Amino acid sequence: MAVRASLGCFPSDPTLHASCGMPWGVAVTPFSAADERGSPPATGDEGHLLPRCQSCFAYFSLLCPLDRWSWTCAVCGGENDMPADAAARYARDGAHDPPEMRSAFVDLLLQGEEGEAGAAAPTPVYVAAIDLSCSEEFLELVKSALQAALEALSPGSLFGLLTFSSKIGLYDVQGPIPIVKNVFIPPDSDGALPIDLEDIMPLCSFLAPIDSCKDRITEALETIKPMSSWDVAANAAEGQDHVLHHTRGFGVALDVLVNYLGSEYGNSFELARIFAFLSGPPNYGAGQLDTSEEQNAGKAGDADHILLQEQTSFYKNLATSAVQAGVCVDLFAITNEYTGLTSLKALSVESGGSLFLYSSTDESTLPQDIYKMLSHPYAFGCVMRLRTSSQFKIADSYGHFFPDPQYMHVQHINCCDSFATYSYDFEFEKDSQFSRKSRPPILQIAFKYTVLVHNGDTSDAPSSGSRSKYSLERRLRVRTIQYNTTANIWDLYDFVDPDVVLTILVHQVILSSLSDVLETRLWLEDWLVAVIAQYNKAYKNVTSGGGTGMYDIDVNFSHCSQLQPLSRFVFAVLLSPLLQVNSERINPDYVTYLQCLFSALEPASLRQAIWPTLISYSSPDVEAEVHQSLSRTVFTSERPIFLLDAYKDLLVYYSPTASSEIPFPPRDCLLRSTIDRLKQERKITPKLMFIHGGRNDTTEFETYLVEDQALDGSRLPGSTGFSSFLDEVASKVAEHGI
């Protein structure tokens, strides 16, 4: 569990916090294997014995003062009796101390809840829902992706195959040949079908064990064809409308599938994960969307700085049903037409899934992405709660979770991998502050989750018992952190984490832009103006010059290295598709995709995505330097090779003057091994491009040289874009006074 704070030292009072201008909060990656310093948790198997505070329900930790028969809660300061069995545990000698007496970061088995988790089958379930109103290329890509998924899935998993268009197809692959049973979706369906899926095909027939049925699943995939002219003729013969071969009854298909997997008698499985593949907008039955140009123009008619809004609450309600059923939905859209992801995103985000967008089948990394997603460890059935000491509280929380309808700041996460990050913004309680006499600020994050555990080698067991190789473990991870405070603004600045500041800002930008993009741009610029003004006031930069002219103002944070990236971060966010006003060049679905991607990234990865890293190489085996600036000055550099890492894109640029003896593209060298490492470490597969300045179009590379661009996205000569922006900021600081 990695926890990074935007302010390493907490402000002592609300006035100091307001004067520094920095967001105050943390970014939490709960399922990461270690903390932010690389230290793993102390582990144990007695989580059910961990004492809890009777006042605030926080957990006992190493930071709690302990007496023989009582302990004091580190979070709220409440006094708690110590039961005799707990007192005996904590009276052990140091060599046999329980985990919570050895570390403030523990990961414990909840033995009392194993039976509860075991009520559901200890078998993960995966279902592919495939759009048949598609092209041959789309279907071939999806088949390749599912073949990769089958290789990544754990032995003993169950797999189901469903197709949808104007009808829903269920596949039974457990017999000698695959069988498909179809049911038509009524055009006026409200989400229900004339017959339950269970009556069409029992769930036990639909879900096939991977171990014994992998080959037959592959055979079934090969039989799937897109709706063709033959289907149109067949529909016409049956009296169906001829346009049905273009229909996608996606909403109905997902609704009945969620109900199918989570029966009315309770969850059948601890985790069910749906891979939904879309080639275009849902346009049939419940949940259909209007993606016509007229509709889009109408939505944005009054103000071109208003993002397209969701058209229906159908998918948000469906996400609620999915969470209750323990179903996670991963949405893969492979299309270059507007699909309405603004309305669809709630289904994946709130159910704990991911949203992917690929503009074409030719350059899609779908097979690699789905393999990565399933190969990395993940937890399911997660519940997270962050508690604070009494002087401050959570103001906002951000991330892909489903808020508990009853308890504040309790978040449900159906599926959580080791990359998923959630952010919190803090504020002081009314009339509160941290004084020398008060207790120091405390955070405690509790993360309860379930994992599938391999029980050992049972290869000699009959195949019918393969699922017994696995069992469910319910675990509790608790991290308790004590922070220092300061009444000195210079200490606040020196302990700023710019990556976490960027993370909280991006969350706020995404949330605000849903209402008004232009207002969000103005707010973000004003924030930077205020921060620079407060910084200059703190360091008294203008007093020695005898005036408050703009040239006396330090816009580069020269006295504080921790603040120096902030101006570039803000400039890059203003240039990003997140905040483009009335741009016909950007697909609204791409903006939605970036919102979902950025809101789940941990701080270091988000920084890469917003402000790419540019590294020059003297040769393929010799790294020269990391460049802070992203401008066209690279074209006049003596370095022959540059690697630009933009998280979802990796670009290798060779100068036109690079020696012909340097291999292009690079092979068996430091540069190539760096590229391979970055691709391996990343949650998604970055698009890799090799560009030779003397032979290839350099537009893709120049797109990331953001310092040469004006805020409207147009390219400018030299580095006037970013420098002009700083001049404008300095002018505003001088105009409003310091």
Side-chain angles (χ1 to χ4, degrees), residues 243-260:
V243 300
L244 287 185
H245 70 293
H246 292 303
T247 58
R248 297 181 186 88
F250 175 73
V252 177
L254 268 288
D255 193 9
V256 297
L257 179 55
V258 167
N259 292 330
Y260 192 27

Side-chain angles (χ1 to χ4, degrees), residues 24-294:
W24 172 30
V26 292
V28 181
T29 310
F31 196 57
S32 60
D35 65 17
E36 63 279 4
R37 295 181 178 85
S39 301
T43 58
D45 56 3
E46 297 179 323
H48 60 294
L49 299 179
L50 190 64
R52 300 190 68 174
C53 176
Q54 297 172 356
S55 299
C56 70
F57 300 102
Y59 292 90
F60 176 84
S61 78
L62 184 63
L63 300 182
C64 296
L66 176 65
D67 292 326
R68 182 69 179 91
W69 298 109
S70 66
W71 61 279
T72 304
C73 177
V75 176
C76 73
E79 293 290 333
N80 296 272
D81 293 334
M82 181 69 73
D85 56 345
R89 290 179 71 236
Y90 298 140
R92 299 172 184 173
D93 61 83
H96 299 90
D97 278 344
E100 61 268 29
M101 292 295 288
R102 291 184 274 115
S103 173
F105 178 22
V106 298
D107 190 299
L108 309 171
L109 177 67
L110 293 171
Q111 294 181 354
E113 296 189 24
E114 283 186 303
E116 178 184 327
T123 308
V125 169
Y126 304 90
V127 176
I130 304 174
D131 178 5
L132 292 190
S133 298
C134 64
S135 65
E136 290 279 0
E137 293 78 11
F138 169 91
L139 205 51
E140 287 304 313
L141 178 64
V142 170
K143 290 177 182 179
S144 298
L146 290 177
Q147 290 289 1
L150 291 175
E151 296 302 318
L153 293 178
S154 303
S157 301
L158 298 179
F159 185 86
L161 191 57
L162 175 146
T163 58
F164 62 89
S165 54
S166 58
K167 57 187 178 182
I168 295 173
L170 302 176
Y171 282 76
D172 181 352
V173 299
Q174 299 186 60
I177 59 172
I179 297 172
V180 58
K181 294 185 178 180
N182 295 297
V183 56
F184 278 95
I185 301 172
D188 56 351
S189 170
D190 60 355
L193 294 177
I195 183 172
D196 290 339
L197 294 189
E198 182 70 33
D199 295 329
I200 299 171
M201 182 179 293
L203 192 59
C204 59
S205 299
F206 175 68
L207 298 175
I210 292 288
D211 306 58
S212 57
C213 296
K214 184 182 292 187
D215 292 341
R216 284 190 286 262
I217 294 171
T218 301
E219 292 174 16
L221 287 172
E222 292 304 316
T223 66
I224 299 176
K225 305 293 181 186
M227 291 196 72
S228 62
S229 56
W230 184 89
D231 297 291
V232 178
N235 289 335
E238 296 176 12
Q240 300 285 340
D241 193 310
H242 72 283
V243 300
L244 287 185
H245 70 293
H246 292 303
T247 58
R248 297 181 186 88
F250 175 73
V252 177
L254 268 288
D255 193 9
V256 297
L257 179 55
V258 167
N259 292 330
Y260 192 27
L261 296 174
S263 71
E264 60 182 305
Y265 305 107
N267 294 357
S268 301
F269 304 95
E270 185 67 18
L271 169 70
R273 195 163 187 175
I274 297 173
F275 307 137
F277 301 95
L278 263 179
S279 68
N283 56 8
Y284 185 73
Q288 62 182 293
L289 304 175
D290 182 0
T291 58
S292 64
E293 292 184 9
E294 292 78 9

Side-chain angles (χ1 to χ4, degrees), residues 615-629:
I615 305 173
S616 60
Y617 286 77
S618 302
S619 72
D621 277 311
V622 180
E623 179 181 319
E625 63 176 314
V626 178
H627 298 256
Q628 299 301 319
S629 176

Side-chain angles (χ1 to χ4, degrees), residues 317-460:
N317 295 334
L318 182 53
T320 302
S321 300
V323 171
Q324 293 171 347
V327 176
C328 167
V329 181
D330 297 297
L331 180 58
F332 303 89
I334 307 101
T335 176
N336 60 359
E337 66 174 309
Y338 177 60
T339 302
L341 295 185
T342 302
S343 300
L344 300 177
K345 67 178 180 181
L347 180 57
S348 60
V349 168
E350 295 191 9
S351 70
S354 299
L355 186 150
F356 295 82
L357 175 65
Y358 308 94
S359 59
S360 72
T361 56
D362 295 336
E363 299 181 352
S364 171
T365 56
L366 174 60
Q368 297 94 319
D369 287 341
I370 201 168
Y371 184 86
K372 274 177 171 283
M373 184 174 68
L374 296 173
S375 299
H376 290 133
Y378 56 88
F380 43 92
C382 313
V383 182
M384 184 162 64
R385 172 72 187 269
L386 186 147
R387 293 179 173 87
T388 65
S389 49
S390 59
Q391 304 95 328
F392 68 112
K393 63 181 179 180
I394 298 171
D396 285 298
S397 51
Y398 313 95
H400 295 188
F401 55 75
F402 186 84
D404 190 277
Q406 183 176 359
Y407 300 104
M408 284 186 64
H409 308 310
V410 174
Q411 289 138 2
H412 298 269
I413 307 165
N414 270 5
C415 189
C416 181
D417 61 29
S418 56
F419 301 94
T421 299
Y422 309 86
S423 298
Y424 299 85
D425 203 6
F426 299 142
E427 64 183 6
F428 280 94
E429 288 280 7
K430 186 178 181 180
D431 300 325
S432 290
Q433 62 179 10
F434 301 116
S435 66
R436 292 184 177 181
K437 296 181 179 180
S438 66
R439 293 179 298 108
I442 297 287
L443 286 185
Q444 185 177 90
I445 304 104
F447 181 66
K448 190 180 291 188
Y449 65 97
T450 299
V451 288
L452 197 67
V453 179
H454 194 280
N455 289 331
D457 186 8
T458 57
S459 56
D460 295 334

Side-chain angles (χ1 to χ4, degrees), residues 383-633:
V383 182
M384 184 162 64
R385 172 72 187 269
L386 186 147
R387 293 179 173 87
T388 65
S389 49
S390 59
Q391 304 95 328
F392 68 112
K393 63 181 179 180
I394 298 171
D396 285 298
S397 51
Y398 313 95
H400 295 188
F401 55 75
F402 186 84
D404 190 277
Q406 183 176 359
Y407 300 104
M408 284 186 64
H409 308 310
V410 174
Q411 289 138 2
H412 298 269
I413 307 165
N414 270 5
C415 189
C416 181
D417 61 29
S418 56
F419 301 94
T421 299
Y422 309 86
S423 298
Y424 299 85
D425 203 6
F426 299 142
E427 64 183 6
F428 280 94
E429 288 280 7
K430 186 178 181 180
D431 300 325
S432 290
Q433 62 179 10
F434 301 116
S435 66
R436 292 184 177 181
K437 296 181 179 180
S438 66
R439 293 179 298 108
I442 297 287
L443 286 185
Q444 185 177 90
I445 304 104
F447 181 66
K448 190 180 291 188
Y449 65 97
T450 299
V451 288
L452 197 67
V453 179
H454 194 280
N455 289 331
D457 186 8
T458 57
S459 56
D460 295 334
S463 61
S464 60
S466 61
R467 292 179 220 170
S468 62
K469 295 178 184 178
Y470 295 88
S471 62
L472 295 176
E473 276 190 3
R474 190 68 171 163
R475 302 191 68 88
L476 173 65
R477 187 172 286 191
V478 180
R479 177 97 186 267
T480 310
I481 309 171
Q482 176 178 305
Y483 288 93
N484 294 324
T485 63
T486 182
N488 187 321
I489 194 169
W490 300 289
D491 287 340
L492 283 184
Y493 286 150
D494 286 341
F495 288 95
V496 162
D497 186 328
D499 291 356
V500 182
V501 170
L502 174 65
T503 299
I504 296 174
L505 282 178
V506 167
H507 279 295
Q508 294 173 341
V509 161
I510 290 173
L511 192 61
S512 176
S513 67
L514 298 178
S515 300
D516 192 313
V517 174
L518 185 57
E519 286 295 326
T520 305
R521 291 177 64 89
L522 295 174
W523 168 82
L524 186 58
E525 290 184 55
D526 288 345
W527 175 83
L528 182 62
V529 169
V531 167
I532 290 177
Q534 292 294 347
Y535 161 83
N536 278 271
K537 183 178 180 181
Y539 283 92
K540 299 180 174 59
N541 287 323
V542 297
T543 56
S544 60
T548 56
M550 60 179 287
Y551 297 107
D552 299 313
I553 297 170
D554 179 7
V555 294
N556 297 309
F557 301 104
S558 303
H559 298 289
C560 184
S561 60
Q562 295 302 104
L563 301 183
Q564 288 172 6
L566 295 182
S567 296
R568 285 185 162 90
F569 288 169
V570 169
F571 184 70
V573 173
L574 290 169
L575 273 174
S576 75
L578 295 177
L579 291 181
Q580 290 305 297
V581 178
N582 193 24
S583 176
E584 297 179 357
R585 299 173 297 143
I586 300 174
N587 185 337
D589 284 336
Y590 183 62
V591 177
T592 301
Y593 162 69
L594 290 183
Q595 290 172 347
C596 295
L597 175 66
F598 290 175
S599 59
L601 290 180
E602 52 90 25
S605 297
L606 181 59
R607 171 178 41 80
Q608 294 287 148
I610 296 294
W611 191 268
T613 299
L614 182 64
I615 305 173
S616 60
Y617 286 77
S618 302
S619 72
D621 277 311
V622 180
E623 179 181 319
E625 63 176 314
V626 178
H627 298 256
Q628 299 301 319
S629 176
L630 293 175
S631 71
R632 293 173 60 87
T633 55

